[in-house]
Amino acid sequence: NWVAGTRNYEDIKYEVYDHIAKITINRPEVRNAFRPKTVSELIDAFSVARDDTEVGVIILTGQNHGKGQDKEAFCSGGDQKVRGNGGYVGEDHIPRLNVLDLQHLIRITPKPVIAMVNGFAIGGGHVLHLVCDLSIASENARFGQTGPRVGSFDGGYGAGLLAAMVGQKKAREIWFLCRQYTAKEALDMGMVNTVVPFDQLEEETVKWAQEILCLSPMALRMLKASFNAATDGLAGLQQFAGDATLLYYTSDEAKEGRDAFVQKRKPDFDQFPKFP
Ligand code: 2NE
């Protein structure tokens, strides 16, 4: 029932159904590893979903290629074959780590983002599921970081958010040993919300999204910003404060300040209550 969006993407797919946007990394031949173009398209798609006032929940997933559940992938991180000197290199020959911008965008998108983890979530792909608000995994999913093995690391959300989620000891184990963990282990660690059979993954994810869609979008927005404020430092506070400003702008009190300026008169704030 998904309806394709109008944008022409090469590395991803963008679809909408019942106020849900589904964004799919579509490079199954490399386990949905991302190159700079993939990330640029993901940033564009998340911006489209964010701006679409009809969209209330966003799902991020990876394209299945149908070669067996143990071969499916959510995302295997940065495409090591285009990793150059200082970042991942695309058609413009500029080395980039633009996935960090994507992580930030997922965090500040004021709508719940669900990672629908259909297989390997490894390296930078593992961090992508971490920065989503919820993670729903199929039983075949595998989780892990590989940075120290392939000469990389993500010390931002990849380390700090992971530690906030699973605890310091476990987070260090994940990074220091570069093991893979089953979906059940990820559930026990608190990294995923639920685990379902592979063939029920999308149905279950859509069910969660539809439950969320019954709730107040503004309350959800404020809650997402509140959770981020606790872990994201001043950037988290900025997001929360931005939402407070949004709400304030809708008040007569804020409009009086704007109108007085435009009308070149003194603002009359006496009419507004001074709440305790
Ligand atoms: C994902 C995993 C565990 C799957 O293993 P398996 O055995 O099922 O598949 P296989 O044969 O390894 O991979 C299938 C094809 O996909 C390519 C492989 O090279 C292979 O292609 P061919 O050689 O047959 O042509 N492929 C898989 N992952 C790729 C990748 N990341 N880049 C380019 N090609 C890839 C297994 O494939 C695996 O461990 N993959 C590598 C995971 C990894 O180390 N990712 C990078 C971590 S660093 C990172 O993502 C990062 C960061 O640390 C900081 C900032 C930004 C990014």
Side-chain angles (χ1 to χ4, degrees):
N1 294 344
W2 295 99
V3 176
T6 51
R7 291 282 224 277
N8 242 345
Y9 296 125
E10 193 181 329
D11 285 8
I12 70 165
K13 294 196 300 185
Y14 183 89
E15 295 159 288
V16 181
Y17 162 70
D18 190 23
H19 306 286
I20 305 165
K22 182 171 74 164
I23 299 170
T24 308
I25 304 173
N26 191 17
R27 303 187 75 214
E29 67 285 355
V30 287
R31 302 291 187 266
N32 295 319
F34 53 78
R35 53 181 175 172
K37 180 196 258 301
T38 323
V39 176
S40 296
E41 291 184 354
L42 286 167
I43 288 172
D44 188 75
F46 269 93
S47 304
V48 168
R50 180 182 180 178
D51 288 352
D52 187 342
T53 52
E54 290 294 310
V55 167
V57 177
I58 303 165
I59 294 173
L60 176 64
T61 193
Q63 179 66 41
N64 292 322
H65 57 33
K67 288 187 183 155
Q69 289 177 25
D70 60 331
K71 294 290 174 197
E72 300 300 5
F74 171 75
C75 175
S76 63
D79 187 328
Q80 298 306 298
K81 290 160 194 163
V82 301
R83 192 173 132 191
N85 190 17
Y88 297 86
V89 182
E91 285 154 0
D92 59 7
H93 307 295
I94 298 171
R96 295 181 191 280
L97 275 172
N98 54 348
V99 74
L100 304 184
D101 298 335
L102 173 64
Q103 293 172 4
H104 184 242
L105 178 58
I106 292 173
R107 292 289 282 182
I108 64 167
T109 295
K111 305 176 181 186
V113 181
I114 306 177
M116 186 166 87
V117 186
N118 53 311
F120 289 110
I122 304 288
H126 187 251
V127 181
L128 283 182
H129 108 83
L130 290 176
V131 297
C132 291
D133 299 295
L134 301 170
S135 292
I136 300 183
S138 49
E139 287 165 347
N140 59 305
R142 293 289 178 273
F143 299 80
Q145 299 295 161
T146 61
R149 185 182 299 137
V150 298
S152 182
F153 64 93
D154 182 338
Y157 289 124
L161 196 59
L162 180 66
M165 221 171 267
V166 303
Q168 283 283 340
K169 296 278 184 185
K170 204 71 197 176
R172 286 165 204 236
E173 174 192 313
I174 290 169
W175 275 103
F176 291 0
L177 280 80
C178 294
R179 288 179 181 169
Q180 281 182 19
Y181 299 86
T182 64
K184 169 76 170 57
E185 287 170 324
L187 180 69
D188 292 343
M189 278 187 247
M191 279 201 303
V192 306
N193 297 87
T194 191
V195 178
V196 295
F198 181 75
D199 57 5
Q200 289 169 27
L201 180 62
E202 183 156 302
E203 189 187 334
E204 184 69 15
T205 309
V206 168
K207 196 170 141 228
W208 282 53
Q210 286 172 328
E211 271 186 59
I212 291 170
L213 286 166
C214 296
L215 306 174
S216 158
M218 183 57 77
L220 295 168
R221 178 187 184 116
M222 298 304 291
L223 280 165
K224 177 162 178 171
S226 308
F227 284 119
N228 290 356
T231 49
D232 290 7
L234 203 49
L237 278 180
Q238 185 211 33
Q239 183 185 353
F240 193 69
D243 285 347
T245 306
L246 181 159
L247 286 176
Y248 178 56
Y249 274 10
T250 66
S251 73
D252 290 340
E253 183 178 331
K255 286 174 189 162
E256 169 61 13
R258 177 201 61 194
D259 292 348
F261 177 82
V262 172
Q263 294 160 11
K264 298 187 185 301
R265 61 173 171 81
K266 199 165 168 261
D268 172 18
F269 288 120
D270 278 350
Q271 58 183 309
F272 300 108
K274 282 81 181 159
F275 289 111

